[in-house]
Amino acid sequence: MSKLHLVFGGRVSDPMTLDFTDLSAIDMVGVFPDYARAEKAWRAAAQRTVDDAEMKYVVVHLHRLLEPDPALNRGE
């Protein structure tokens, strides 16, 4: 399975959290086939907004969401 990664960002209420204030204004940077390319895109997006403390970009490991947890299958 590909190790898909999603990069997105937006305005947050507190830079220490992931509480995005307006989900309709989320900047979807893209989906990438590996972490290296996702990190490069994340750095570029974050650099564009470096002077705005309320803007935050993140990398989400989509492949982790797609891989079932073996413990769930055993009812643990």
Side-chain angles (χ1 to χ4, degrees), residues 16-72:
M16 300 299 289
T17 71
L18 291 175
D19 184 19
F20 292 96
T21 59
D22 184 1
L23 296 180
S24 68
I26 293 289
D27 177 17
M28 301 297 285
V29 178
V31 176
F32 301 88
D34 55 60
Y35 184 79
R37 286 183 248 192
E39 182 182 27
K40 185 176 179 180
W42 168 80
R43 287 188 186 280
Q47 185 62 41
R48 285 193 306 270
T49 61
V50 71
D51 293 327
D52 186 348
E54 294 179 342
M55 287 297 288
K56 187 171 197 170
Y57 283 85
V58 296
V59 176
V60 176
H61 302 269
L62 290 179
H63 60 276
R64 291 184 184 163
L65 298 174
L66 298 174
E67 295 173 358
D69 183 350
L72 292 175

